Amino acid sequence: NAGVTQTPKFRILKIGQSMTLQCAQDMNHNYMYWYRQDPGMGLKLIYYSVGAGITDKGEVPNGYNVSRSTTEDFPLRLELAAPSQTSVYFCASSSLLAGANTGELFFGEGSRLTVL
Amino acid sequence: DAKTTQPTSMDCAEGRAANLPCNHSTISGNEYVYWYRQIHSQGPQYIIHGLKNNETNEMASLIITEDRKSSTLILPHATLRDTAVYYCIVRVFSGYSTLTFGKGTMLLVSP
């Protein structure tokens, strides 16, 4: 299993540009999440999904959009990039299955985004 | 979810036990204590979790006080690769895990 895979690993955007951060997991997890981490800070939840077709806002959703058309994929869309969105973005997933659900989140390696 | 308090940083000599404290005095009866760590530039990694009994796995031990208001993560023989930020998180054990990560404790393991 590859686990949680994020692309791209690095990206530089100009103010006002749009882009999509891709996230895929091959563990058949129902739950997926997007976090952002600013320098020296903890992680903040942007959006999460409890299954295909179902998404909900986290702590800091403004400026972002998500979709969940399949169990495996959970892309994060930035429509009008702003310098405040410069951050490291982490995608994560967790299992629903009874007995397999320890509450453990599996994280990707992160996507570093710089908006200039 | 209950709030947690951790020291900003700690030092440990390689080969010695690292004991990382966490205060969660407002924890509720159905809330679990989770520990994650984040090695520089990587995604956080799950370490261990517990409700009220002490827990041990291949990575660490978790000691929870009887009143559950505090806990200690123990790395029995710290190595240089254990240098990381350690997050103590308290949450209800439910289907999805919208974990709230604070700033954690920066553990520096030195030779």
Side-chain angles (χ1 to χ4, degrees):
Chain A
N1 288 348
V4 178
T5 303
Q6 292 183 234
T7 57
K9 287 186 170 49
F10 302 92
R11 183 74 185 268
I12 298 175
L13 281 181
K14 294 182 179 179
I15 294 173
Q17 286 186 320
S18 299
M19 77 159 297
T20 299
L21 298 177
Q22 301 292 343
C23 176
Q25 53 90 11
D26 62 359
M27 298 173 282
N28 201 32
H29 285 173
N30 290 79
Y31 304 128
M32 296 187 74
Y33 319 81
W34 274 106
Y35 286 86
R36 60 175 286 174
Q37 184 175 34
D38 299 332
M41 305 296 287
L43 283 74
K44 294 184 177 180
L45 182 66
I46 306 172
Y47 270 96
Y48 66 97
S49 169
V50 300
I54 306 171
T55 64
D56 207 348
K57 297 178 181 179
E59 182 183 358
V60 290
N62 291 345
Y64 307 94
N65 280 300
V66 293
S67 60
R68 184 94 182 271
S69 57
T70 67
T71 299
E72 294 78 20
D73 301 300
F74 190 40
L76 178 71
R77 178 84 176 161
L78 285 72
E79 292 294 348
L80 293 171
S84 61
Q85 293 178 306
T86 293
S87 190
V88 181
Y89 292 83
F90 290 100
C91 179
S93 70
S94 65
S95 174
L96 168 66
L97 295 176
N101 186 1
T102 65
E104 175 182 357
L105 264 64
F106 294 82
F107 283 84
E109 289 301 307
S111 297
R112 294 181 175 277
L113 176 66
T114 301
V115 182
L116 300 174
Chain B
D1 294 339
K3 182 178 178 180
T4 61
T5 303
Q6 299 178 253
T8 302
S9 63
M10 295 183 65
D11 295 324
C12 180
E14 188 178 22
R16 304 297 292 271
N19 298 282
L20 292 93
C22 180
N23 183 287
H24 32 78
S25 58
T26 61
I27 192 170
S28 300
N30 61 346
E31 289 183 310
Y32 285 69
V33 180
Y34 282 80
W35 283 85
Y36 279 74
R37 74 179 183 184
Q38 186 176 25
I39 297 172
H40 181 61
S41 300
Q42 298 182 16
Q45 175 190 26
Y46 165 85
I47 301 173
I48 199 168
H49 77 285
L51 182 62
K52 53 184 177 181
N53 296 324
N54 297 338
E55 302 287 344
T56 296
N57 63 21
E58 64 278 5
M59 289 182 67
S61 295
L62 173 60
I63 308 298
I64 302 174
T65 58
E66 191 170 345
D67 63 7
R68 303 208 325 120
K69 293 185 177 182
S70 66
S71 61
T72 301
L73 178 74
I74 301 173
L75 307 179
H77 305 288
T79 70
L80 299 180
R81 288 175 293 181
D82 292 322
T83 292
V85 177
Y86 288 77
Y87 298 99
C88 171
I89 302 165
V90 173
R91 61 169 285 272
V92 174
F93 185 81
S94 64
Y96 60 91
S97 311
T98 55
L99 297 178
T100 300
F101 289 80
K103 293 186 179 182
T105 297
M106 176 66 216
L107 175 67
L108 176 62
V109 181
S110 302

